[in-house]
Amino acid sequence: MSDTTQTPQRPPDLWRRIDKVWLFIALLPLAVVVIDPPQALPVLTFGLAALGHTAPFIIFAVLAVALMKATGAESLLARAFEGNEIRMIFLAAAAGGLSPFCSCEVIPFIAAMLALGAPLSAVMAFWLASPLMDPAMFLITSGTLGWDFAVAKTVAAVGLGLFGGFGVWAFSQSPVFIDPLRKRTPSGGCGSGCGCGTRAPFSGTPVWRFWPDPERREAFRESIRENGPFLLKWLLLAYLIEALMLEYVPAEAIAGLLGGEGLQPILLGALVGAPAYLNGYAAVPLIDALLKQGMADGAAMSFALAGGVSCIPAAVAVWALVKPRVFAGYLGFAMFGALAAGLAWGAIA
C-alpha cells in the first residue's frame, strides 16, 4: 500500500525569485497611475526616452566587456592598469573633467572599468569628475554664468576627481575600500554587474578570432546575458526616479534653502544638491536665477558639484556596482569636495 501520509511539498518561494528591481520599475508607473493619472504616461515616456538616449553607451560597454572576455584581452587590459597608479589617477581625473558624458551615461563605462580590473582609485577619480563638466556644458555655463564660473567648475571637477582618487589610493587597504565590488547573489545574478561571470578568465595570448571556439563563444554570450539586463534595469529605474523628482519636487522649495550669505548656504548647497537631481544643463539657468535672487556664489558652486556627482540616477546605479561602504566613501568625497570648492569659490568670487 502506498504511503498517503507524506508531507506535501511546499510551492517554490516566488518572492525570493522575483527580481526586486524590475518589480519596483513596474510599480513606479502604476503608483503614478493611482495618484496622478495624467502624469503616468509622461513619466514612463521620459524614462524610456532617456534610456534610449543612453542605449548606445550601454551597448558599447556590454559588447566591449563581452569581446574582452571571449578573446582573453581582459588580462592585457588588467596589466595596462598596473604599474604607476598615481599617473593613472591624474589621467583619469583630467579625462573625467573633459569627457562628454553625463552622470548616467558614464555608468556603463564605470561598470566596464571595474569589471576589467581597473584600480578603484583611478575609477573613483574618473567617476567623480566625469558628470560635472563636458565641452557642451562648459559653453552653456560660460554663456550664462560667465567664463570665471565655468573655468572654476572645470578646475573643481578635476580637483574633486584627484581628491577622491588619491583618497582611495591612500586608504586602499582600509576596510572601506578593500574588495569594493558587490558579490554574486545566491540566485545566480550578479551583484556587481559587469564582468562577474561564472567562468574563469582566459589566460595566455588573446585569441582575437574567438568565434570558432565554442567555449569562447559561450563566454561572449554569457557576458552579454549578465551585463545587458543589469545595466538596463538599473538605468531604467534611475531615469524613472529622475522623472518623478523633476515632476514632483518643486524648484522653488530647493531655491528657498539656498539664499543668504556665509557658511550656511554653502553647506546647505552641498546637502541639498546631493539628493536633488538636476541635469547639468538644466541646472545652469536655475543657478543663474538663484544668483540673481541673492544666493551666495559659494552655495552655487557647492550645489552644482554635489548635485552633479550625487544625483539620484547616478547614485542608484553606483549603489548597484559597489558595496555600501564604498558607496558611502563616494558620497563622502563628493560632499567634502563640493563644500571645499564652494568655500574656495566664495572667497575668490
Side-chain angles (χ1 to χ4, degrees):
M1 180 180 294
S2 61
D3 186 3
T4 60
T5 63
Q6 294 180 354
T7 303
Q9 293 184 351
R10 296 180 59 187
D13 191 343
L14 296 179
W15 177 250
R16 292 183 180 179
R17 298 174 59 184
I18 294 175
D19 191 313
K20 306 305 187 299
V21 178
W22 284 116
L23 179 62
F24 195 48
I25 289 172
L27 291 178
L28 280 179
L30 291 177
V32 179
V33 169
V34 174
I35 298 172
D36 190 6
Q39 293 302 321
L41 183 59
V43 166
L44 184 60
T45 302
F46 180 95
L48 294 176
L51 185 66
H53 178 72
T54 314
F57 299 93
I58 299 175
I59 294 172
F60 175 84
V62 170
L63 291 179
V65 173
L67 179 63
M68 290 184 177
K69 285 191 166 297
T71 60
E74 59 180 343
S75 59
L76 294 180
L77 186 57
R79 289 199 294 269
F81 278 95
E82 295 173 355
N84 194 334
E85 188 173 345
I86 293 178
R87 177 181 61 85
M88 285 188 290
I89 295 173
F90 276 105
L91 292 176
L98 300 174
S99 63
F101 304 125
C102 73
S103 56
C104 287
E105 290 171 342
V106 77
I107 294 301
F109 293 95
I110 294 302
M113 291 170 66
L114 288 171
L116 297 171
L120 182 62
S121 58
V123 170
M124 185 68 75
F126 184 82
W127 213 342
L128 290 168
S130 182
L132 297 177
M133 187 58 69
D134 59 56
M137 192 185 301
F138 182 89
L139 294 177
I140 294 174
T141 303
S142 61
T144 304
L145 302 178
W147 286 95
D148 291 344
F149 190 92
V151 171
K153 187 183 177 187
T154 304
V155 173
V158 176
L160 182 57
L162 291 174
F163 170 65
F166 280 108
V168 172
W169 174 76
F171 297 98
S172 60
Q173 298 304 311
S174 70
V176 177
F177 297 115
I178 196 169
D179 188 23
L181 299 183
R182 288 182 181 268
K183 299 296 185 182
R184 172 177 291 275
T185 61
S187 61
C190 178
S192 65
C194 299
C196 57
T198 57
R199 63 178 70 248
F202 293 107
S203 59
T205 304
V207 178
W208 301 111
R209 293 176 55 87
F210 69 89
W211 47 92
D213 187 332
E215 185 179 2
R216 292 179 182 273
R217 288 200 307 268
E218 178 56 28
F220 184 83
R221 289 191 292 264
E222 179 183 342
S223 180
I224 292 177
R225 285 194 299 265
E226 289 183 352
N227 301 332
F230 170 82
L231 292 174
L232 177 66
K233 69 181 181 182
W234 281 104
L235 286 175
L236 179 56
L237 174 62
Y239 285 130
L240 289 176
I241 294 176
E242 173 188 349
L244 293 175
M245 292 198 67
L246 290 175
E247 179 64 31
Y248 296 110
V249 178
E252 295 79 7
I254 299 174
L257 298 174
L258 301 174
E261 300 291 341
L263 176 62
Q264 180 176 342
I266 297 176
L267 179 59
L268 286 176
L271 293 175
V272 172
Y277 173 72
L278 281 175
N279 176 275
Y281 301 99
V284 172
L286 176 60
I287 292 174
D288 183 47
L290 294 175
L291 287 171
K292 291 178 180 178
Q293 294 171 355
M295 184 178 71
D297 292 322
M301 183 63 70
S302 65
F303 182 87
L305 293 179
V309 173
S310 303
C311 65
I312 295 298
V316 167
V318 173
W319 172 266
L321 296 177
V322 297
K323 294 179 179 178
R325 49 186 167 80
V326 180
F327 179 77
Y330 164 82
L331 292 181
F333 288 131
M335 294 297 296
F336 187 87
L339 181 61
L343 290 172
W345 179 242
I348 295 172

